[in-house]
């Protein structure tokens, strides 16, 4: 049939031959070439395609990923990679142990110092390779796919060459519909490959290139030391340097691609870019439904992060559960071979340095557990003093209230008078998050029932680990199913923002222009505007009703810009009185949605005014004064309840049920709520006095509701259709 096709339409021979190869022989006629090419650029396949992502889907997905990664993603990658590289020798040292260093094996210290030394040479190589990687990826990503993280590999130049031939030969001037779809897909592909749009992914490739060279240097030293030691030659600096140079020169091919299995695996672990069964399976599902990538953009990265996090918190100590446990428990040659196979070495006999690499891995993996244990041992007291914050309260509403009312943010550690975020640092985040949660719940004086203990443990594990996986992307779906309109609007706004060119970078600039929280609850357009510079300043701000200042705003422009471009966020500590409020177990005040009658839902602008009016009462100063914070009686009550709670003993009734102690019933909570409610009512009355139309609307609505409650439907209708004669009547009503 190929011979017949060559006679029928010679111009289609090249695309036919290419399509034949690309389709594994399924495309063997000119008619099939046209159908196959059309499916590659058909937008409908973005919804579902059994064959995986077509070229249209790859182009659109690449555009979205470029937009999202144009912000601080590269900076976060650099910091995460750096943290992993710095922590690795610490783990290796802990895994080796002081006994091995000084008494059991005198050569062990020399080996360790050599493998993890030479920072000057290592960094020289790494910086050079990072720059080289960035230049090659920037020049042509389609020719350097191995230098790009797996979640970002969307380019397919060979298939595009074939589609170009079909479009120009068959569709142009003959099939305008197909050619317009081709043009659309082609524009997306060109935008996705434009270096300006790819700067985020290019920078990330440079960060990974640095890691590749760093790990190559480390593995080269492991191999060099082992080669010299096994040769019987004296282990001298000169001999090691020569052996290392030879090994390193053989670790990359002519194109700069790393060929050493051990270095490749170690680099992939740091860059969160290793192949694994879960990630590959999930990627396959997402590729068949490309639109779902809006919710789960980085499945491979997430699953790798979960594995790395587990290696630090004891999960790796469970026999047979992961590659880490295989290394830790391997004793026989067969077990060692299986452990190394999980790291990329198919046959242990093919690598003369396999045992040396295995021993290095075993020391480092054991050291990770020791590292986490040392963190817990040294920082537990620090955490119990309230200086480490984990995932926070179980309820999202409680977390929001604590953030807005009490200045309590999650995943932070205190240094001096500043709080520094550790989110995204996979080498320490899981340990500190769990530590922070344990301290949080140990200090929490709210009731803790047995089911609450289970709920808190479940929340800690889910927020610490599951948030790193594709499962976090499913949350909007469940919220939408539950009828959560806010979740739906947020999800749609996130999709809309991802279509804005350079949306990630625009978000950074927007934060530099205005860092305050905006009052955009359930506002689709508001969510999008908040990430656009200058436009975000037109949105109503969330006002701190304690101080009258916008929430999270930074007055100093230089500091605001610095925090906006800094991947590791730094925030000020809580004021003493706000810290005291938190220590009382008070959960904060929820956002004011409706007026006191419940008949009117405030607009963001009205809410902003009410909070501003409340702040004029100097509520923070009142709380800091003798009536609250310096009230000896209140502090005694709180101390007694905390001591009772920490004892862990509760009275039991005759049926065996524990008697709970509701912290919200304490007079201190009653007085705090009374203070805020009275201030809120004064602010509402002032708003109504200044806005008589609003007062009129609320008054009429209340009359309608009252008549409906009596069953007077006709009277309610008359009231709704009749305007109130005098606004002063309403004003007098609110003054009573």
């Amino acid at each position: 049939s190929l011979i017949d096709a060559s006679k029928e339409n010679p111009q289609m021979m090249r695309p036919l031959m290419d399509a034949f190869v690309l389709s594994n022989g399924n495309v063997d006629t000119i008619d099939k070439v046209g159908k196959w090419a059309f499916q590659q650029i058909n937008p409908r396949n973005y919804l579902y395609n059994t064959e995986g992502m077509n070229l249209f889907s790859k182009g659109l997905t690449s555009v979205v990923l470029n937009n999202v990664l144009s912000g601080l993603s590269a900076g976060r990658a650099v910091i995460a990679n750096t943290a992993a590289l710095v922590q690795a020798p610490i783990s290796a040292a802990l895994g080796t142990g002081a006994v091995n260093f000084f008494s059991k094996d005198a050569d062990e210290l020399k080996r360790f110092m050599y493998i993890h030394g030479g920072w000057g040479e290592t960094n020289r190589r790494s910086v050079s390779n990072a720059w080289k990687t960035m230049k090659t990826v920037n020049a042509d990503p389609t020719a350097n796919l191995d230098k790009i993280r797996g979640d970002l590999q969307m380019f397919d130049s060979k298939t595009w060459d074939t589609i170009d031939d079909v479009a120009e030969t068959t569709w142009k001037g003959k099939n305008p519909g197909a050619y317009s779809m081709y043009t659309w897909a082609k524009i997306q592909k060109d935008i996705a490959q434009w270096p300006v749009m790819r700067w985020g992914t290019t920078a990330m490739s440079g960060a990974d290139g640095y890691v590749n060279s760093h790990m190559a240097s480390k593995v080269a030293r492991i191999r060099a030391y082992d080669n010299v030691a096994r040769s019987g030659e004296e282990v001298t600096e000169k001999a090691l340097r020569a052996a290392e140079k030879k090994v390193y020169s053989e670790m990359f091919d002519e194109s700069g691609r790393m060929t050493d299995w051990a270095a490749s695996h170690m680099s992939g672990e740091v860059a969160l870019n290793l192949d694994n069964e879960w990630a590959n399976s999930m990627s396959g599902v997402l590729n068949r439904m490309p639109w779902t990538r809006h919710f789960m953009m980085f499945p491979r990265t997430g699953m790798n992060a979960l594995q790395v996090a587990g290696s630090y918190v004891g999960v790796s100590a469970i026999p047979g559960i992961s590659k880490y446990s295989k290394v830790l428990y391997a004793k026989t040659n067969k077990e060692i071979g299986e452990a190394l196979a999980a790291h990329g070495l198919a046959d242990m006999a093919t690598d003369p340095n396999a045992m040396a690499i295995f021993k290095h891995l075993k020391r480092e993996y054991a050291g990770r557990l020791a590292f986490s244990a040392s963190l817990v041992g040294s920082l537990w007291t620090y955490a119990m003093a309230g200086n480490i914050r984990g995932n926070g309260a179980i309820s999202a509403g409680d977390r929001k209230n604590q953030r807005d009312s009490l200045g309590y943010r999650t995943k932070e550690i205190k240094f001096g008078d500043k709080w520094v975020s550790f989110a995204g640092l996979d080498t320490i985040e899981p340990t500190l998050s769990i530590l922070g949660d344990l301290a949080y719940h140990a200090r929490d004086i709210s009731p803790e029932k047995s089911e609450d203990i289970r709920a808190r443990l479940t929340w800690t594990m889910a927020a610490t680990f599951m948030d790193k996986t594709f499962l976090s992307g499913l949350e909007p779906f469940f919220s939408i199913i539950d009828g959560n309109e806010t979740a739906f609007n947020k999800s749609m706004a996130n999709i809309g923002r991802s279509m804005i060119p350079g949306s990630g970078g625009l978000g950074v600039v927007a934060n530099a222009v205005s860092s305050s929280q905006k009052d955009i609850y359930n506002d689709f357009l508001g969510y999008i505007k908040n990430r656009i510079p200058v436009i975000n300043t037109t949105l109503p701000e969330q006002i701190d009703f304690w101080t009258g200042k916008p929430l999270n705003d930074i007055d100093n422009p230089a500091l605001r810009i610095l925090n906006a471009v800094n991947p590791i966020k730094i925030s000020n500590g809580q004021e003493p009185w706000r810290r005291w409020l938190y220590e009382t177990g008070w959960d904060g005040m929820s956002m004011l949605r409706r007026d006191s009658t419940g008949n009117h839902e405030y607009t963001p602008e009205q809410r902003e005014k009410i909070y501003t009016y409340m702040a004029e009462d100097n509520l923070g100063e009142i709380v800091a004064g003798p009536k609250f914070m310096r009230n000896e009686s209140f502090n005694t009550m709180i101390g007694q309840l905390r001591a009772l709670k920490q004892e862990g003993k509760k009275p039991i009734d005759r049926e065996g049920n524990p008697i709970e102690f509701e912290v919200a019933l304490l007079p201190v909570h009653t007085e705090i709520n009374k203070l805020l409610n009275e201030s809120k009512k004064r602010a509402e009355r002032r708003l109504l006095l200044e806005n008589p139309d609003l007062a009129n609307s609320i008054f009429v609505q209340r009359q309608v509701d009252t008549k409906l409650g009596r069953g007077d439907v006709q009277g309610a209708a008359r009231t709704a259709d009749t305007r109130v004669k005098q606004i002063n009547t309403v004003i007098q009503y609110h003054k009573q």
Side-chain angles (χ1 to χ4, degrees), residues 24-100:
N24 295 320
N26 292 325
V27 176
D28 55 8
T29 67
I30 292 177
D31 182 60
K32 288 182 179 179
V33 171
K35 293 179 179 178
W36 172 82
F38 183 77
Q39 289 304 314
Q40 288 294 324
I41 50 90
N42 189 350
R44 275 190 2 189
N45 287 348
Y46 190 68
L47 298 178
Y48 184 78
N49 187 9
T50 56
E51 302 299 323
M53 298 180 75
N54 65 359
L55 293 182
F56 176 89
S57 299
K58 288 181 178 180
L60 181 55
T61 303
S62 295
V63 169
V64 169
L65 292 176
N66 285 342
N67 292 337
V68 171
L69 296 174
S70 64
L72 299 179
S73 297
R76 293 192 184 99
V78 170
I79 290 174
N81 289 356
T82 301
L85 294 177
V86 170
Q87 194 274 328
I90 299 174
S91 292
L94 291 171
T96 301
V99 175
N100 283 342

Side-chain angles (χ1 to χ4, degrees), residues 167-186:
E168 296 300 324
T169 303
T170 305
W171 296 335
K172 190 174 183 179
K174 302 174 185 177
N175 190 338
Y179 195 79
S180 64
M181 288 185 182
Y182 159 77
T183 303
W184 182 8
K186 186 77 170 180

Side-chain angles (χ1 to χ4, degrees), residues 220-498:
R221 292 191 178 106
I222 295 172
R223 293 184 181 279
Y225 200 100
D226 187 53
N227 288 339
V228 173
R230 286 188 302 106
S231 70
E233 182 182 355
E234 183 181 357
V235 181
T236 63
E237 182 179 348
K238 181 179 180 181
L240 290 174
R241 188 163 54 245
E244 178 187 341
K245 184 177 181 180
K246 181 178 184 300
V247 172
Y248 189 85
S249 66
E250 298 172 349
M251 300 183 78
F252 298 88
D253 62 19
E254 294 180 355
S255 67
R257 179 176 173 271
M258 186 183 293
T259 57
D260 186 276
W261 67 270
S264 295
H265 191 91
M266 293 180 188
S267 300
E269 186 188 46
V270 172
L272 307 178
N273 193 37
L274 292 175
D275 281 329
N276 65 71
E277 184 177 350
W278 281 97
N280 293 339
S281 298
M282 196 61 209
S283 293
V285 173
L286 297 179
N287 288 342
R288 287 192 288 274
M289 295 184 291
W291 62 274
T292 58
R293 287 295 292 265
H294 288 285
F295 302 94
M296 295 167 275
M297 291 189 175
F298 311 108
R300 182 191 301 262
T301 300
M303 293 309 300
N304 274 278
L306 179 62
Q307 283 192 331
V308 173
S311 72
Y312 282 88
V313 293
V315 176
S316 59
I318 303 175
I321 197 171
S322 67
K323 64 180 182 181
Y324 305 105
S325 61
K326 288 182 178 180
V327 168
L328 290 173
Y329 290 103
K331 294 180 180 179
T332 67
N333 285 339
K334 180 182 179 181
E335 291 172 340
I336 293 172
E338 292 174 351
L340 292 178
H343 289 73
L345 178 60
D347 185 359
M348 182 178 169
T350 61
D351 190 335
N353 307 124
M355 186 59 70
I357 293 171
F358 167 77
K359 290 180 179 179
H360 172 82
L361 292 173
K362 191 163 190 173
R363 285 190 290 265
E364 182 168 335
Y365 294 166
R368 292 185 184 184
L369 299 177
F371 177 76
S372 294
S374 65
L375 278 183
V376 173
S378 60
L379 295 179
W380 172 247
T381 302
Y382 195 65
M384 284 300 294
N387 296 314
I388 298 177
R389 297 169 177 171
N391 300 293
I394 299 174
S395 166
D398 288 344
R399 291 196 301 275
K400 184 180 185 304
N401 292 342
Q402 290 178 355
R403 181 197 66 193
D404 295 347
S405 299
L406 304 173
Y408 185 96
R409 296 174 182 81
T410 59
K411 295 190 177 182
E412 291 183 332
I413 184 170
K414 188 176 184 181
F415 290 108
D417 62 345
K418 301 295 182 182
W419 289 86
V420 179
S421 172
F422 53 79
L425 301 179
D426 294 301
T427 56
I428 62 174
E429 179 186 348
T431 302
L432 292 188
S433 294
I434 294 174
L435 195 60
D437 277 5
L438 290 174
Y440 172 85
H441 295 307
R443 293 170 55 82
D444 183 18
I445 60 175
S446 60
E448 187 178 87
K449 302 177 183 178
S450 58
E451 57 265 29
D452 288 335
I453 296 176
R454 292 192 295 270
R456 290 174 177 183
L457 179 60
T458 301
W459 160 246
T460 293
M461 300 306 291
T464 301
F465 297 108
M466 294 299 105
D467 188 53
K468 298 179 180 295
T469 71
F470 62 86
L471 295 176
S472 62
L474 300 177
E475 183 178 353
F477 292 100
F478 292 115
S479 298
I480 292 169
I481 292 172
D482 289 340
N484 189 333
E485 184 182 354
T486 302
F488 177 79
N489 282 333
K490 281 186 176 180
S491 298
M492 293 303 101
N494 285 333
I495 293 175
R497 282 203 303 260
S498 69

Side-chain angles (χ1 to χ4, degrees), residues 645-696:
K645 189 256 182 186
Q646 290 177 347
E647 287 179 3
K649 298 179 181 179
K650 296 179 182 178
I652 305 297
D653 63 18
R654 295 180 63 182
E655 296 180 357
N657 299 314
I659 305 298
E660 301 295 341
F661 295 88
E662 294 287 348
V663 64
L665 297 178
L666 286 178
V668 58
H669 281 224
T670 303
E671 290 301 316
I672 292 171
N673 293 329
K674 180 180 178 182
L675 171 71
L676 294 180
N677 287 332
E678 290 178 350
S679 178
K680 184 170 61 177
K681 289 179 181 179
R682 287 192 295 270
E684 287 183 291
R685 285 197 295 267
R686 180 175 171 183
L687 178 68
L688 294 176
L689 286 169
E690 295 175 354
N691 298 271
D693 289 341
L694 174 62
N696 178 44

